[in-house]
Amino acid sequence: QEVVPVGRRGVERQIDAEVRSLYARVWSLDREREALAAAAELVQLLEEIAHSRYSAGEGDQEGVLKIQVQELRVAESVGDLAKERRTLIAELNRWRDRPGDTPFADTRLLPSTRPIGSDAERLALAGSAEVRRAQAAVVAAERRVELARLELKPNFSANAGLAARGGYDPVVSLGFGVELPIWRRQKQLPMLRAAEHELEAARREQADVEAMVRGEAASLLAAWQNADEQANRYRQGILPQTSAALAAARAAYLTGRGDFSTVIEDFNLWLEARVALARREADRFIASVAFDRMAGTGSLLAGVKE
């Protein structure tokens, strides 16, 4: 298995996070565009009805003017979305190393991501490249201190030899020596103090990095939980209720029992709910992507395709 340097892995994960986050934002815009397309169809239907009633003397000009204003607002939103999408695609292509005007197909699905759990801080500390670098710096500083301390200890030596003595039996000589670091202390003590200061600084840096990672993990967990709760609130409550209210108001207006202003009001609430749901889901995805980058979890460029 290839050993990937931390620096290279960090760059890969940064590219992955940027691409996936931009994809989620494009996905959100495409869902908003779908909502506006449905809104344009409804506005066109309402405009035909308003004109028909006005021509028959059953409605007033105010209704016609209001629906025309609504039609222009939908067109304005569509234009703004198109411009924002082109900007995001240019940025996305930059990270993919492609020309800025390279087309990107309409997004259909938002890739699934793992939830950020209550153990976010532990996972972040275990997988963070910044924490690993800080830990490695502490280990290196500890070794420098150990080496500096060894230089202050006496050096022991031993030797042995065998000497011939002519016609006599050979003689075995044994020797033992001790070198006292009397003069070396003047040089090594400052070096030891410097190494100890470096170790203390490395440990403080490690503590700072770990605190930063824990704080970022807690922040991403809060962002993910909030986006998840809000998305569920829109999906299970707000969106169904606004859809039902719009359907009721439209039916009442078509049968001549409802007020046109109520239709427009419910229409705006329905449109805002669909847009907000897409944005909440994109926010949840982006928070998960950011955590994957920090903690080194998740697969690179998972699910992002043209």
Side-chain angles (χ1 to χ4, degrees):
Q1 183 178 2
E2 180 186 7
V3 177
V4 181
V6 173
R8 174 182 161 188
R9 177 63 67 183
V11 171
E12 290 176 348
R13 292 206 169 274
Q14 180 185 7
I15 295 174
D16 165 67
E18 294 290 346
V19 169
R20 291 205 289 166
S21 296
L22 287 168
Y23 177 90
R25 293 172 63 187
V26 173
W27 175 87
S28 176
L29 289 183
D30 287 346
R31 303 292 74 74
E32 187 171 349
R33 186 168 55 177
E34 288 179 354
L36 288 173
E41 294 180 0
L42 176 59
V43 168
Q44 187 176 11
L45 173 62
L46 294 176
E47 184 179 16
E48 292 175 357
I49 296 173
H51 273 292
S52 176
R53 288 189 174 180
Y54 179 68
S55 300
E58 299 177 356
D60 53 21
Q61 190 178 16
E62 181 186 5
V64 176
L65 295 176
K66 281 186 176 180
I67 199 64
Q68 289 175 346
V69 170
Q70 198 68 31
E71 186 176 18
L72 291 173
R73 286 180 175 174
V74 170
E76 177 190 22
S77 297
V78 170
D80 289 341
L81 281 182
K83 181 263 181 185
E84 188 175 356
R85 192 179 195 275
R86 286 193 300 269
T87 301
L88 290 177
I89 293 302
E91 181 69 7
L92 185 58
N93 284 329
R94 181 177 75 86
W95 286 101
R96 297 164 67 228
D97 194 23
R98 300 188 181 184
D101 58 352
T102 301
F104 196 86
D106 288 354
T107 59
R108 297 300 175 191
L109 296 175
L110 192 63
S112 60
T113 56
R114 70 183 69 192
I116 302 179
S118 57
D119 59 346
E121 293 186 22
R122 179 185 63 80
L123 291 176
L125 288 174
S128 170
E130 288 78 8
V131 170
R132 289 199 299 273
R133 280 194 289 267
Q135 291 171 341
V138 170
V139 171
E142 289 173 342
R143 290 176 179 173
R144 288 193 293 270
V145 170
E146 291 174 2
L147 290 175
R149 287 173 177 168
L150 286 175
E151 291 294 328
L152 293 174
K153 294 182 178 180
N155 290 332
F156 297 94
S157 61
N159 58 74
L162 181 65
R165 297 192 302 165
Y168 297 97
D169 293 334
V171 176
V172 176
S173 62
L174 301 174
F176 178 78
V178 179
E179 181 184 359
L180 299 176
I182 298 175
W183 302 111
R184 282 186 295 152
R185 294 181 67 87
Q186 297 179 357
K187 176 182 178 182
Q188 290 302 125
L189 279 176
M191 296 180 64
L192 174 60
R193 295 192 187 99
E196 290 174 340
H197 287 312
E198 291 178 359
L199 174 58
E200 183 181 357
R203 286 172 174 168
R204 287 199 300 267
E205 177 66 18
Q206 179 184 347
D208 290 342
V209 170
E210 290 177 350
M212 179 190 68
V213 169
R214 286 195 300 269
E216 186 176 354
S219 177
L220 289 173
L221 173 60
W224 188 93
Q225 289 176 335
N226 179 67
D228 184 60
E229 292 171 0
Q230 299 290 19
N232 290 332
R233 185 171 289 114
Y234 273 98
R235 185 177 295 280
Q236 298 173 10
I238 298 177
L239 186 58
Q241 291 174 4
T242 55
S243 298
L246 176 59
R250 182 176 59 180
Y253 179 72
L254 292 177
T255 57
R257 296 180 291 104
D259 179 70
F260 184 77
S261 298
T262 303
V263 178
I264 295 299
E265 181 180 351
D266 290 342
F267 166 80
N268 286 328
L269 291 175
W270 169 82
L271 182 59
E272 291 171 2
R274 291 191 62 177
V275 171
L277 172 60
R279 290 178 180 174
R280 295 293 187 179
E281 290 180 337
D283 289 343
R284 179 176 58 191
F285 182 88
I286 291 172
S288 181
V289 166
F291 181 80
D292 283 345
R293 175 188 174 185
M294 180 180 61
T297 56
S299 57
L300 297 180
L301 300 177
V304 178
K305 299 179 180 179
E306 294 186 39

CSV table of all heavy atoms in Angstrom, one decimal, residues 250-301:
chain,number,residue,atom,x,y,z
A,250,ARG,N,-56.0,27.9,-4.1
A,250,ARG,CA,-56.2,27.8,-5.6
A,250,ARG,C,-57.5,27.3,-6.0
A,250,ARG,O,-58.2,27.8,-6.9
A,250,ARG,CB,-55.0,27.0,-6.2
A,250,ARG,CG,-55.1,26.9,-7.7
A,250,ARG,CD,-53.9,26.2,-8.3
A,250,ARG,NE,-53.8,24.8,-7.8
A,250,ARG,CZ,-52.9,23.9,-8.1
A,250,ARG,NH1,-51.9,24.3,-8.9
A,250,ARG,NH2,-52.9,22.7,-7.7
A,251,ALA,N,-57.9,26.2,-5.3
A,251,ALA,CA,-59.2,25.6,-5.6
A,251,ALA,C,-60.4,26.6,-5.3
A,251,ALA,O,-61.3,26.7,-6.1
A,251,ALA,CB,-59.4,24.3,-4.8
A,252,ALA,N,-60.2,27.3,-4.2
A,252,ALA,CA,-61.3,28.3,-3.8
A,252,ALA,C,-61.3,29.4,-4.9
A,252,ALA,O,-62.4,29.9,-5.3
A,252,ALA,CB,-61.0,28.8,-2.4
A,253,TYR,N,-60.1,29.8,-5.3
A,253,TYR,CA,-60.1,30.9,-6.3
A,253,TYR,C,-60.7,30.5,-7.7
A,253,TYR,O,-61.4,31.2,-8.3
A,253,TYR,CB,-58.7,31.4,-6.5
A,253,TYR,CG,-58.5,32.5,-7.5
A,253,TYR,CD1,-59.0,33.8,-7.2
A,253,TYR,CD2,-57.9,32.3,-8.8
A,253,TYR,CE1,-58.8,34.8,-8.2
A,253,TYR,CE2,-57.8,33.2,-9.7
A,253,TYR,CZ,-58.3,34.5,-9.4
A,253,TYR,OH,-58.1,35.5,-10.3
A,254,LEU,N,-60.4,29.2,-8.1
A,254,LEU,CA,-60.9,28.7,-9.3
A,254,LEU,C,-62.4,28.6,-9.4
A,254,LEU,O,-63.0,28.7,-10.4
A,254,LEU,CB,-60.2,27.4,-9.7
A,254,LEU,CG,-58.7,27.4,-9.9
A,254,LEU,CD1,-58.2,26.0,-10.2
A,254,LEU,CD2,-58.4,28.3,-11.2
A,255,THR,N,-63.0,28.3,-8.2
A,255,THR,CA,-64.4,28.2,-8.1
A,255,THR,C,-65.1,29.5,-7.8
A,255,THR,O,-66.3,29.5,-7.6
A,255,THR,CB,-64.8,27.1,-7.1
A,255,THR,OG1,-64.2,27.5,-5.8
A,255,THR,CG2,-64.3,25.8,-7.5
A,256,GLY,N,-64.3,30.6,-7.7
A,256,GLY,CA,-64.9,31.9,-7.5
A,256,GLY,C,-65.2,32.2,-6.0
A,256,GLY,O,-65.9,33.2,-5.7
A,257,ARG,N,-64.7,31.3,-5.1
A,257,ARG,CA,-65.0,31.6,-3.7
A,257,ARG,C,-63.9,32.2,-2.9
A,257,ARG,O,-64.0,32.7,-1.8
A,257,ARG,CB,-65.4,30.2,-3.0
A,257,ARG,CG,-66.6,29.6,-3.6
A,257,ARG,CD,-66.9,28.2,-2.9
A,257,ARG,NE,-65.9,27.2,-3.2
A,257,ARG,CZ,-64.9,26.8,-2.4
A,257,ARG,NH1,-64.8,27.3,-1.2
A,257,ARG,NH2,-64.1,25.9,-2.9
A,258,GLY,N,-62.7,32.2,-3.5
A,258,GLY,CA,-61.5,32.6,-2.8
A,258,GLY,C,-61.0,34.0,-3.3
A,258,GLY,O,-61.4,34.5,-4.3
A,259,ASP,N,-60.1,34.5,-2.5
A,259,ASP,CA,-59.5,35.8,-2.8
A,259,ASP,C,-58.2,35.6,-3.5
A,259,ASP,O,-57.4,34.8,-3.1
A,259,ASP,CB,-59.3,36.6,-1.5
A,259,ASP,CG,-58.7,38.0,-1.8
A,259,ASP,OD1,-59.4,38.8,-2.4
A,259,ASP,OD2,-57.6,38.2,-1.4
A,260,PHE,N,-57.9,36.4,-4.5
A,260,PHE,CA,-56.6,36.3,-5.2
A,260,PHE,C,-55.4,36.6,-4.3
A,260,PHE,O,-54.4,35.9,-4.5
A,260,PHE,CB,-56.7,37.2,-6.4
A,260,PHE,CG,-55.5,37.0,-7.3
A,260,PHE,CD1,-55.4,35.9,-8.2
A,260,PHE,CD2,-54.4,37.9,-7.3
A,260,PHE,CE1,-54.3,35.8,-9.0
A,260,PHE,CE2,-53.3,37.8,-8.1
A,260,PHE,CZ,-53.2,36.7,-8.9
A,261,SER,N,-55.5,37.5,-3.4
A,261,SER,CA,-54.4,37.9,-2.6
A,261,SER,C,-54.0,36.7,-1.7
A,261,SER,O,-52.8,36.5,-1.4
A,261,SER,CB,-54.7,39.1,-1.7
A,261,SER,OG,-55.0,40.2,-2.5
A,262,THR,N,-55.0,35.9,-1.3
A,262,THR,CA,-54.7,34.7,-0.5
A,262,THR,C,-53.9,33.7,-1.3
A,262,THR,O,-53.0,33.1,-0.8
A,262,THR,CB,-56.0,34.1,0.0
A,262,THR,OG1,-56.7,35.0,0.8
A,262,THR,CG2,-55.7,32.9,0.9
A,263,VAL,N,-54.2,33.6,-2.6
A,263,VAL,CA,-53.5,32.6,-3.5
A,263,VAL,C,-52.0,33.1,-3.6
A,263,VAL,O,-51.1,32.3,-3.5
A,263,VAL,CB,-54.2,32.6,-4.9
A,263,VAL,CG1,-53.3,31.7,-5.8
A,263,VAL,CG2,-55.6,32.1,-4.7
A,264,ILE,N,-51.8,34.4,-3.8
A,264,ILE,CA,-50.4,34.9,-3.9
A,264,ILE,C,-49.7,34.7,-2.6
A,264,ILE,O,-48.5,34.3,-2.6
A,264,ILE,CB,-50.5,36.4,-4.3
A,264,ILE,CG1,-51.1,36.5,-5.7
A,264,ILE,CG2,-49.1,36.9,-4.3
A,264,ILE,CD1,-50.3,35.8,-6.8
A,265,GLU,N,-50.3,35.0,-1.5
A,265,GLU,CA,-49.6,34.8,-0.2
A,265,GLU,C,-49.2,33.4,0.0
A,265,GLU,O,-48.1,33.1,0.4
A,265,GLU,CB,-50.5,35.3,0.9
A,265,GLU,CG,-49.9,35.2,2.3
A,265,GLU,CD,-50.9,35.7,3.4
A,265,GLU,OE1,-51.9,36.3,3.0
A,265,GLU,OE2,-50.5,35.5,4.6
A,266,ASP,N,-50.2,32.4,-0.2
A,266,ASP,CA,-49.9,31.0,0.0
A,266,ASP,C,-48.9,30.5,-1.0
A,266,ASP,O,-48.1,29.6,-0.7
A,266,ASP,CB,-51.2,30.2,-0.1
A,266,ASP,CG,-52.1,30.4,1.1
A,266,ASP,OD1,-51.6,31.0,2.1
A,266,ASP,OD2,-53.3,30.1,1.0
A,267,PHE,N,-48.9,31.1,-2.2
A,267,PHE,CA,-47.9,30.7,-3.2
A,267,PHE,C,-46.5,31.1,-2.8
A,267,PHE,O,-45.6,30.3,-2.9
A,267,PHE,CB,-48.3,31.4,-4.6
A,267,PHE,CG,-47.2,31.4,-5.6
A,267,PHE,CD1,-47.0,30.3,-6.4
A,267,PHE,CD2,-46.4,32.5,-5.8
A,267,PHE,CE1,-46.0,30.3,-7.3
A,267,PHE,CE2,-45.4,32.5,-6.7
A,267,PHE,CZ,-45.2,31.4,-7.5
A,268,ASN,N,-46.3,32.3,-2.3
A,268,ASN,CA,-45.0,32.7,-1.8
A,268,ASN,C,-44.5,31.8,-0.6
A,268,ASN,O,-43.3,31.5,-0.6
A,268,ASN,CB,-45.1,34.2,-1.4
A,268,ASN,CG,-45.1,35.1,-2.6
A,268,ASN,OD1,-44.6,34.8,-3.7
A,268,ASN,ND2,-45.8,36.2,-2.4
A,269,LEU,N,-45.4,31.5,0.3
A,269,LEU,CA,-45.0,30.6,1.4
A,269,LEU,C,-44.6,29.2,0.9
A,269,LEU,O,-43.6,28.7,1.4
A,269,LEU,CB,-46.2,30.5,2.4
A,269,LEU,CG,-46.6,31.7,3.2
A,269,LEU,CD1,-47.8,31.5,4.0
A,269,LEU,CD2,-45.4,32.2,4.1
A,270,TRP,N,-45.3,28.7,-0.1
A,270,TRP,CA,-45.0,27.4,-0.6
A,270,TRP,C,-43.7,27.4,-1.3
A,270,TRP,O,-42.8,26.5,-1.1
A,270,TRP,CB,-46.1,27.0,-1.6
A,270,TRP,CG,-45.8,25.8,-2.5
A,270,TRP,CD1,-45.9,24.5,-2.1
A,270,TRP,CD2,-45.3,25.8,-3.8
A,270,TRP,NE1,-45.5,23.7,-3.2
A,270,TRP,CE2,-45.1,24.5,-4.2
A,270,TRP,CE3,-44.9,26.9,-4.7
A,270,TRP,CZ2,-44.6,24.2,-5.5
A,270,TRP,CZ3,-44.4,26.5,-6.0
A,270,TRP,CH2,-44.3,25.2,-6.3
A,271,LEU,N,-43.4,28.5,-2.1
A,271,LEU,CA,-42.1,28.6,-2.8
A,271,LEU,C,-41.0,28.8,-1.8
A,271,LEU,O,-39.9,28.1,-2.0
A,271,LEU,CB,-42.2,29.8,-3.8
A,271,LEU,CG,-40.9,30.1,-4.6
A,271,LEU,CD1,-40.6,28.8,-5.5
A,271,LEU,CD2,-41.1,31.3,-5.5
A,272,GLU,N,-41.1,29.6,-0.8
A,272,GLU,CA,-40.1,29.8,0.2
A,272,GLU,C,-39.8,28.5,0.9
A,272,GLU,O,-38.6,28.2,1.3
A,272,GLU,CB,-40.5,30.9,1.2
A,272,GLU,CG,-40.6,32.3,0.6
A,272,GLU,CD,-41.2,33.3,1.5
A,272,GLU,OE1,-41.6,32.9,2.7
A,272,GLU,OE2,-41.4,34.5,1.2
A,273,ALA,N,-40.8,27.7,1.2
A,273,ALA,CA,-40.6,26.4,1.9
A,273,ALA,C,-39.8,25.5,1.1
A,273,ALA,O,-38.9,24.8,1.6
A,273,ALA,CB,-42.0,25.8,2.3
A,274,ARG,N,-40.1,25.4,-0.2
A,274,ARG,CA,-39.3,24.4,-1.1
A,274,ARG,C,-37.8,24.9,-1.2
A,274,ARG,O,-36.9,24.1,-1.1
A,274,ARG,CB,-39.9,24.4,-2.4
A,274,ARG,CG,-41.3,23.7,-2.4
A,274,ARG,CD,-41.8,23.4,-3.8
A,274,ARG,NE,-40.9,22.4,-4.5
A,274,ARG,CZ,-41.1,22.0,-5.8
A,274,ARG,NH1,-42.2,22.4,-6.4
A,274,ARG,NH2,-40.3,21.2,-6.3
A,275,VAL,N,-37.6,26.2,-1.3
A,275,VAL,CA,-36.3,26.7,-1.4
A,275,VAL,C,-35.5,26.5,-0.1
A,275,VAL,O,-34.4,26.1,-0.1
A,275,VAL,CB,-36.3,28.2,-1.8
A,275,VAL,CG1,-34.9,28.8,-1.7
A,275,VAL,CG2,-36.8,28.4,-3.2
A,276,ALA,N,-36.2,26.8,1.0
A,276,ALA,CA,-35.5,26.6,2.3
A,276,ALA,C,-35.2,25.2,2.6
A,276,ALA,O,-34.1,24.9,3.2
A,276,ALA,CB,-36.5,27.2,3.4
A,277,LEU,N,-36.0,24.2,2.2
A,277,LEU,CA,-35.7,22.8,2.4
A,277,LEU,C,-34.5,22.4,1.7
A,277,LEU,O,-33.6,21.8,2.3
A,277,LEU,CB,-36.9,22.0,2.0
A,277,LEU,CG,-36.7,20.5,2.0
A,277,LEU,CD1,-36.3,20.0,3.4
A,277,LEU,CD2,-37.9,19.7,1.4
A,278,ALA,N,-34.3,22.8,0.5
A,278,ALA,CA,-33.1,22.5,-0.3
A,278,ALA,C,-31.9,23.1,0.3
A,278,ALA,O,-30.8,22.4,0.4
A,278,ALA,CB,-33.3,23.0,-1.8
A,279,ARG,N,-32.0,24.3,0.8
A,279,ARG,CA,-30.8,24.9,1.4
A,279,ARG,C,-30.5,24.3,2.7
A,279,ARG,O,-29.3,24.1,3.0
A,279,ARG,CB,-31.1,26.4,1.6
A,279,ARG,CG,-31.2,27.2,0.3
A,279,ARG,CD,-31.5,28.7,0.5
A,279,ARG,NE,-31.6,29.4,-0.7
A,279,ARG,CZ,-32.0,30.7,-0.8
A,279,ARG,NH1,-32.4,31.3,0.3
A,279,ARG,NH2,-32.0,31.3,-2.0
A,280,ARG,N,-31.4,23.9,3.5
A,280,ARG,CA,-31.1,23.2,4.8
A,280,ARG,C,-30.4,21.9,4.5
A,280,ARG,O,-29.5,21.5,5.2
A,280,ARG,CB,-32.4,23.0,5.6
A,280,ARG,CG,-33.1,24.3,6.0
A,280,ARG,CD,-32.3,25.0,7.1
A,280,ARG,NE,-33.0,26.1,7.6
A,280,ARG,CZ,-32.5,26.9,8.6
A,280,ARG,NH1,-31.3,26.7,9.0
A,280,ARG,NH2,-33.2,27.9,9.0
A,281,GLU,N,-30.9,21.1,3.5
A,281,GLU,CA,-30.3,19.8,3.2
A,281,GLU,C,-28.9,20.0,2.7
A,281,GLU,O,-28.0,19.2,3.0
A,281,GLU,CB,-31.2,19.1,2.2
A,281,GLU,CG,-32.5,18.6,2.8
A,281,GLU,CD,-33.3,17.9,1.8
A,281,GLU,OE1,-33.2,18.1,0.5
A,281,GLU,OE2,-34.2,17.1,2.2
A,282,ALA,N,-28.7,21.1,1.9
A,282,ALA,CA,-27.3,21.4,1.4
A,282,ALA,C,-26.4,21.8,2.6
A,282,ALA,O,-25.2,21.4,2.7
A,282,ALA,CB,-27.3,22.5,0.4
A,283,ASP,N,-26.9,22.6,3.5
A,283,ASP,CA,-26.2,23.0,4.7
A,283,ASP,C,-25.8,21.7,5.5
A,283,ASP,O,-24.6,21.6,6.0
A,283,ASP,CB,-27.0,23.9,5.6
A,283,ASP,CG,-27.2,25.3,5.0
A,283,ASP,OD1,-26.4,25.6,4.0
A,283,ASP,OD2,-28.1,26.0,5.4
A,284,ARG,N,-26.7,20.8,5.7
A,284,ARG,CA,-26.4,19.6,6.4
A,284,ARG,C,-25.3,18.8,5.7
A,284,ARG,O,-24.3,18.3,6.4
A,284,ARG,CB,-27.6,18.7,6.5
A,284,ARG,CG,-27.4,17.4,7.3
A,284,ARG,CD,-28.8,16.7,7.4
A,284,ARG,NE,-29.4,16.4,6.1
A,284,ARG,CZ,-30.6,16.0,5.9
A,284,ARG,NH1,-31.4,15.8,7.0
A,284,ARG,NH2,-31.1,15.8,4.7
A,285,PHE,N,-25.3,18.7,4.4
A,285,PHE,CA,-24.3,18.0,3.6
A,285,PHE,C,-23.0,18.7,3.7
A,285,PHE,O,-21.9,18.0,4.0
A,285,PHE,CB,-24.8,17.9,2.1
A,285,PHE,CG,-23.8,17.2,1.2
A,285,PHE,CD1,-23.9,15.9,1.0
A,285,PHE,CD2,-22.8,17.9,0.6
A,285,PHE,CE1,-23.1,15.2,0.2
A,285,PHE,CE2,-21.9,17.2,-0.3
A,285,PHE,CZ,-22.1,15.9,-0.5
A,286,ILE,N,-22.9,20.0,3.6
A,286,ILE,CA,-21.7,20.7,3.7
A,286,ILE,C,-21.0,20.6,5.1
A,286,ILE,O,-19.8,20.5,5.2
A,286,ILE,CB,-21.9,22.2,3.3
A,286,ILE,CG1,-22.3,22.3,1.8
A,286,ILE,CG2,-20.7,23.1,3.6
A,286,ILE,CD1,-22.8,23.7,1.4
A,287,ALA,N,-21.8,20.6,6.1
A,287,ALA,CA,-21.3,20.4,7.5
A,287,ALA,C,-20.6,19.1,7.6
A,287,ALA,O,-19.5,18.9,8.2
A,287,ALA,CB,-22.4,20.6,8.5
A,288,SER,N,-21.3,18.0,7.1
A,288,SER,CA,-20.7,16.7,7.1
A,288,SER,C,-19.4,16.6,6.3
A,288,SER,O,-18.5,15.9,6.7
A,288,SER,CB,-21.7,15.7,6.6
A,288,SER,OG,-21.2,14.4,6.6
A,289,VAL,N,-19.4,17.3,5.2
A,289,VAL,CA,-18.2,17.3,4.3
A,289,VAL,C,-17.0,17.9,5.1
A,289,VAL,O,-15.9,17.5,5.0
A,289,VAL,CB,-18.5,18.0,3.0
A,289,VAL,CG1,-17.2,18.3,2.3
A,289,VAL,CG2,-19.3,17.1,2.1
A,290,ALA,N,-17.3,19.1,5.7
A,290,ALA,CA,-16.3,19.8,6.5
A,290,ALA,C,-15.7,18.9,7.6
A,290,ALA,O,-14.5,18.9,7.9
A,290,ALA,CB,-16.8,21.1,7.0
A,291,PHE,N,-16.6,18.2,8.2
A,291,PHE,CA,-16.1,17.3,9.3
A,291,PHE,C,-15.3,16.1,8.8
A,291,PHE,O,-14.3,15.8,9.3
A,291,PHE,CB,-17.3,16.7,10.1
A,291,PHE,CG,-16.9,15.8,11.2
A,291,PHE,CD1,-16.5,16.4,12.4
A,291,PHE,CD2,-16.9,14.5,11.1
A,291,PHE,CE1,-16.1,15.6,13.5
A,291,PHE,CE2,-16.5,13.6,12.2
A,291,PHE,CZ,-16.1,14.2,13.4
A,292,ASP,N,-15.7,15.6,7.6
A,292,ASP,CA,-14.9,14.5,7.0
A,292,ASP,C,-13.5,15.0,6.7
A,292,ASP,O,-12.5,14.3,6.9
A,292,ASP,CB,-15.6,14.0,5.7
A,292,ASP,CG,-16.8,13.1,6.0
A,292,ASP,OD1,-16.9,12.6,7.1
A,292,ASP,OD2,-17.6,12.9,5.1
A,293,ARG,N,-13.4,16.2,6.2
A,293,ARG,CA,-12.1,16.8,5.9
A,293,ARG,C,-11.2,16.9,7.1
A,293,ARG,O,-10.1,16.6,7.1
A,293,ARG,CB,-12.3,18.1,5.2
A,293,ARG,CG,-10.9,18.8,5.0
A,293,ARG,CD,-11.1,20.3,4.5
A,293,ARG,NE,-9.8,20.9,4.4
A,293,ARG,CZ,-9.7,22.2,4.1
A,293,ARG,NH1,-10.7,23.0,3.8
A,293,ARG,NH2,-8.5,22.8,4.0
A,294,MET,N,-11.8,17.4,8.2
A,294,MET,CA,-11.1,17.7,9.4
A,294,MET,C,-10.7,16.4,10.1
A,294,MET,O,-9.5,16.2,10.6
A,294,MET,CB,-11.9,18.5,10.4
A,294,MET,CG,-11.2,18.8,11.7
A,294,MET,SD,-12.2,19.8,12.8
A,294,MET,CE,-13.6,18.7,13.1
A,295,ALA,N,-11.6,15.4,10.1
A,295,ALA,CA,-11.4,14.1,10.9
A,295,ALA,C,-10.7,13.1,10.0
A,295,ALA,O,-10.4,12.0,10.5
A,295,ALA,CB,-12.7,13.6,11.5
A,296,GLY,N,-10.6,13.3,8.7
A,296,GLY,CA,-10.0,12.3,7.8
A,296,GLY,C,-10.9,11.1,7.6
A,296,GLY,O,-10.5,10.0,7.3
A,297,THR,N,-12.2,11.3,7.7
A,297,THR,CA,-13.2,10.3,7.4
A,297,THR,C,-13.9,10.5,6.1
A,297,THR,O,-13.8,11.5,5.4
A,297,THR,CB,-14.3,10.3,8.5
A,297,THR,OG1,-14.9,11.6,8.6
A,297,THR,CG2,-13.7,10.0,9.9
A,298,GLY,N,-14.6,9.5,5.6
A,298,GLY,CA,-15.3,9.6,4.4
A,298,GLY,C,-14.4,9.3,3.2
A,298,GLY,O,-13.2,9.3,3.3
A,299,SER,N,-15.0,9.0,2.1
A,299,SER,CA,-14.3,8.7,0.8
A,299,SER,C,-14.2,9.9,0.0
A,299,SER,O,-15.1,10.7,-0.1
A,299,SER,CB,-15.0,7.5,0.1
A,299,SER,OG,-16.3,7.9,-0.2
A,300,LEU,N,-13.0,10.0,-0.7
A,300,LEU,CA,-12.8,11.2,-1.5
A,300,LEU,C,-13.7,11.2,-2.7
A,300,LEU,O,-13.9,10.3,-3.5
A,300,LEU,CB,-11.3,11.2,-2.0
A,300,LEU,CG,-10.3,11.3,-0.9
A,300,LEU,CD1,-8.9,11.3,-1.5
A,300,LEU,CD2,-10.5,12.5,0.0
A,301,LEU,N,-14.3,12.4,-3.0
A,301,LEU,CA,-15.1,12.7,-4.1
A,301,LEU,C,-16.2,11.7,-4.3
A,301,LEU,O,-16.6,11.3,-5.4
A,301,LEU,CB,-14.3,12.7,-5.4
A,301,LEU,CG,-13.2,13.8,-5.4
A,301,LEU,CD1,-12.4,13.7,-6.7
A,301,LEU,CD2,-13.8,15.2,-5.3
